[in-house]
Amino acid sequence: MEEIGPVTRKRRATSHEIGVTLKLVNGRSTVVESAIGHGDSRTFVTKQNVTGLASTASKEKKKRRNVPSDQLSCHRLQESLLSSSSGYSNYRGVLNWCVVMLVLSNARLFLENLLKYGILVDPIQVVALFVKDPYNMPAVCLVIVSNVFVLVAFYTERRLSVGCFSEHFGLLVHSINLSVILCFPVAVVLMVKSVTPVGGAVALGVYTILFLKLYSYKDVNKWCREMCYAKARSLSRSISCPSVSWSEGRGVGSQVTYPGNLTCRDLYYFVFAPTLCYELNFPRSPKIRKSFLLRRLCEMLFFTQLLVGLTQQWMVPIIQSSMKPLEDMDLSRMVEHLLRLAVPNHLLWLIFFYTFFHSAMNFVAELLQFGDREFYRDWWNSETVPYFWQNWNIPVHKWCLRHFYKPMLKRGVSKWAGQSAVFLASAFFHEYLVSVPLKMLRPWAFLGMMAQLPLAWFVACFLRGNYGNAAVWISLIIGQPFAVLMYVHDYYVLQHREESAGVGPD
Ligand SMILES: CC(C)(COP(=O)(O)OP(=O)(O)OC[C@H]1O[C@@H](n2cnc3c(N)ncnc32)[C@H](O)[C@@H]1OP(=O)(O)O)[C@@H](O)C(=O)NCCC(=O)NCCS
């Protein structure tokens, strides 16, 4: 190994042979572990070995200093750090610079906003978004009523497990139950005037989650029964699974076997667990870490306040000022407002992502000792659109794969048709969660989701690496505020029309 310093191509090639890479961090060299060989038979160089190699390198360096010709030379063959061929990749300082620039530019915006509008943050207004009348909270009642559907699914599974219901009849009951779960809240939100858009969206969100969970519950119990029947058929004169009673269903080492899982406690654990995919034995964490729980709770409280404050102070004034250009169809001003809205909207979306997928889900998981904490993966590195959808919302992605996409593929549907069907269903639910609470049917969320298919094709065909990643970010930053503006505009126009016709909302 040669001198320690910036990694050049030549030196990288040499160091790879012994499995060590030298990198320049803050002007000092650090030694990074790397793998020797490929595939499964990877051997890792331990930190002790690496330290040994580094000291050998420095000894070599000292030895060479004693050679007269080396004492005179101060140049060697090497690339500039910013050349891609230098292999240099430590841009931590540049990342910090980006953060500082972002904070400074937003501080300016923040001051400008304060000077222009004063303080608009009003916590009381937030309560009014959820409830109009504290003695009449239909959204809360809707959530409480949802327990009926949980119990219907539970009762049906119990009957199926003892053979009181045939598979066909069970499927019919489940189908009716699931259809009602989707239709009942729509009817209530549309018919009861006191349901606010935010209250309605929360209630519909709860019902959608319940729909996905109970669908999974039905599927998994059916798969268990099928496995039991197959086992019973293969073993002559064996005890078939359905004859095991619910109380006997606890197997070795507290592992539950079918039908031992069919208890109310088990189903309610699943209903509250941060997953959409049912399993008989969820991985469990050994204990509740109180400090972890407290940290997540503080994050949830802080970020929720921040979300509300930023919406009131930053988003609402921009949206209000966008109405005029939208009404006049002034294209250049519309684009200007869209870009102005893009920054706060994106920031809010990122805060929402962290609050929901990290703080809230980890909080619930810790409380229930639910072990699988993979709620998201590194979607921010997405270089393709499918990668983003596979990694940003893991509970939904897992459900789509397990209960919709793979069953379709098994029935011989092509991959392309399967993916289109998943995106169609997802588009339906996005529209369902927006149009119904706003009480107006508009296609923006549906189209936004369906546009992912041509976008995925375009990015895959024409953009690679960092360009692909930039395209995914741009689609997120621009696509969402576009849909937000369209909905707000339509909602505003509708309200305006109703008010001028004297039918103002009560
Ligand atoms: C549509 C979607 C499910 C496709 O996922 P994908 O990972 O790109 O799908 P792939 O074709 O790569 O296949 C995935 C799995 O199917 C399996 N598979 C592929 N062909 C198969 C076949 N013929 N039979 C059975 N399984 C098959 C693969 O082995 C793979 O299994 P693994 O996950 O266990 O490794 C995904 O893009 C998605 O979840 N989209 C919607 C997301 C969404 O709407 N989210 C909303 C968030 S708000």
Side-chain angles (χ1 to χ4, degrees):
M1 200 166 302
E2 287 186 22
E3 247 175 85
I4 299 175
V7 182
T8 63
R9 260 204 176 157
K10 187 181 158 215
R11 275 188 290 116
R12 272 208 303 163
T14 336
S15 57
H16 271 301
E17 280 160 23
I18 57 159
V20 179
T21 310
L22 294 178
K23 281 192 179 174
L24 191 76
V25 178
N26 282 345
R28 278 175 281 125
S29 66
T30 54
V31 187
V32 180
E33 286 182 15
S34 75
I36 302 174
H38 302 283
D40 294 328
S41 60
R42 281 181 166 217
T43 352
F44 283 90
V45 178
T46 61
K47 282 225 163 88
Q48 284 91 330
N49 290 346
V50 167
T51 322
L53 286 163
S55 69
T56 322
S58 78
K59 272 182 206 156
E60 278 270 306
K61 193 179 154 189
K62 276 182 196 155
K63 222 187 273 172
R64 296 191 66 189
R65 274 201 200 119
N66 298 329
V67 179
S69 62
D70 273 19
Q71 279 172 353
L72 293 177
S73 75
C74 65
H75 292 105
R76 59 195 156 83
L77 191 68
Q78 59 183 332
E79 298 282 358
S80 303
L81 282 192
L82 295 181
S83 304
S84 57
S85 53
S86 74
Y88 181 76
S89 61
N90 179 17
Y91 289 100
R92 207 159 48 106
V94 178
L95 195 72
N96 287 339
W97 172 81
C98 288
V99 173
V100 171
M101 288 300 283
L102 200 73
V103 171
L104 283 181
S105 55
N106 281 316
R108 188 195 64 77
L109 271 179
F110 183 68
L111 259 179
E112 197 181 279
N113 176 288
L114 269 186
L115 293 173
K116 197 168 170 187
Y117 302 109
I119 293 175
L120 299 174
V121 179
D122 177 6
I124 306 295
Q125 218 182 17
V126 180
V127 179
L129 284 176
F130 286 91
V131 276
K132 274 184 188 164
D133 171 7
Y135 297 103
N136 179 17
M137 294 195 277
V140 177
C141 295
L142 251 179
V143 173
I144 294 170
V145 169
S146 67
N147 284 292
V148 173
F149 303 103
V150 177
L151 294 175
V152 170
F154 173 63
Y155 177 78
T156 311
E157 279 308 323
R158 280 258 198 167
R159 299 282 97 192
L160 277 163
S161 72
V162 288
C164 283
F165 281 1
S166 70
E167 285 296 330
H168 278 102
F169 187 68
L171 182 66
L172 181 72
V173 178
H174 273 307
S175 306
I176 295 172
N177 193 34
L178 291 171
S179 311
V180 178
I181 288 178
L182 286 187
C183 300
F184 172 66
V186 176
V188 174
V189 169
L190 293 182
M191 278 155 58
V192 178
K193 288 232 166 101
S194 55
V195 181
T196 63
V198 179
V202 172
L204 281 170
V206 170
Y207 272 80
T208 307
I209 292 172
L210 200 64
F211 170 85
L212 299 173
K213 282 188 184 238
L214 293 183
Y215 191 98
S216 176
Y217 187 67
K218 157 194 97 63
D219 263 6
V220 173
N221 283 313
K222 184 168 166 257
W223 296 336
C224 285
R225 275 194 303 281
E226 281 169 3
M227 281 193 307
C228 286
Y229 293 143
K231 215 168 162 188
R233 269 199 300 271
S234 68
L235 297 171
S236 56
R237 294 200 301 155
S238 71
I239 307 160
S240 68
C241 278
S243 66
V244 180
S245 75
W246 298 314
S247 52
E248 287 165 23
R250 302 224 153 240
V252 192
S254 83
Q255 286 285 303
V256 177
T257 52
Y258 187 82
N261 63 313
L262 297 178
T263 62
C264 235
R265 188 191 160 91
D266 178 88
L267 178 53
Y268 270 96
Y269 180 84
F270 171 54
V271 166
F272 286 107
T275 177
L276 298 173
C277 293
Y278 179 67
E279 205 174 306
L280 269 68
N281 297 289
F282 288 111
R284 303 292 287 268
S285 48
K287 66 178 176 80
I288 300 175
R289 294 165 292 174
K290 289 193 185 69
S291 62
F292 181 89
L293 201 67
L294 203 67
R295 271 207 308 277
R296 300 288 85 84
L297 182 67
C298 291
E299 280 175 3
M300 270 160 66
L301 295 176
F302 173 73
F303 285 122
T304 311
Q305 288 303 317
L306 191 67
L307 273 174
V308 170
L310 286 176
T311 308
Q312 289 177 326
Q313 186 74 39
W314 203 357
M315 283 274 280
V316 173
I318 299 178
I319 289 175
Q320 280 171 346
S321 62
S322 311
M323 291 304 114
K324 186 91 178 72
L326 268 172
E327 266 174 38
D328 299 346
M329 292 308 267
D330 180 348
L331 197 67
S332 53
R333 299 261 297 135
M334 266 160 68
V335 173
E336 194 246 334
H337 276 86
L338 181 73
L339 293 177
R340 265 176 68 191
L341 190 63
V343 178
N345 180 79
H346 187 62
L347 191 67
L348 287 176
W349 181 73
L350 288 178
I351 298 174
F352 164 78
F353 165 78
Y354 187 87
T355 315
F356 187 74
F357 285 96
H358 188 74
S359 308
M361 285 202 164
N362 266 301
F363 177 80
V364 177
E366 193 65 25
L367 212 58
L368 296 176
Q369 290 180 263
F370 183 80
D372 186 358
R373 309 288 172 93
E374 195 192 40
F375 306 123
Y376 54 87
R377 290 190 211 123
D378 64 335
W379 56 265
W380 44 87
N381 290 329
S382 307
E383 291 177 4
T384 61
V385 176
Y387 188 88
F388 172 80
W389 290 109
Q390 286 158 10
N391 294 287
W392 108 270
N393 183 341
I394 295 295
V396 169
H397 172 65
K398 261 190 193 156
W399 188 94
C400 290
L401 269 183
R402 194 183 187 215
H403 297 287
F404 198 35
Y405 184 63
K406 283 190 188 177
M408 264 191 296
L409 293 184
K410 276 184 196 142
R411 281 192 202 121
V413 174
S414 73
K415 265 193 171 193
W416 190 86
Q419 285 177 355
S420 305
V422 174
F423 277 99
L424 195 73
S426 182
F428 163 78
F429 279 109
H430 277 83
E431 195 56 67
Y432 175 84
L433 291 170
V434 181
S435 280
V436 178
L438 290 177
K439 299 179 189 180
M440 57 175 199
L441 193 67
R442 294 292 183 281
W444 310 121
F446 185 87
L447 291 179
M449 202 60 207
M450 288 314 286
Q452 299 303 310
L453 290 170
L455 182 70
W457 171 82
F458 177 80
V459 174
C461 286
F462 301 107
L463 302 167
R464 291 265 176 282
N466 287 339
Y467 295 104
N469 184 240
V472 173
W473 277 115
I474 291 172
S475 74
L476 290 173
I477 296 171
I478 302 294
Q480 284 174 7
F482 183 74
V484 169
L485 267 187
M486 298 318 276
Y487 275 110
V488 173
H489 168 258
D490 291 358
Y491 190 68
Y492 171 82
V493 169
L494 200 76
Q495 296 283 358
H496 192 69
R497 223 182 276 153
E498 280 180 358
E499 270 164 30
S500 47
V503 205
D506 42 0

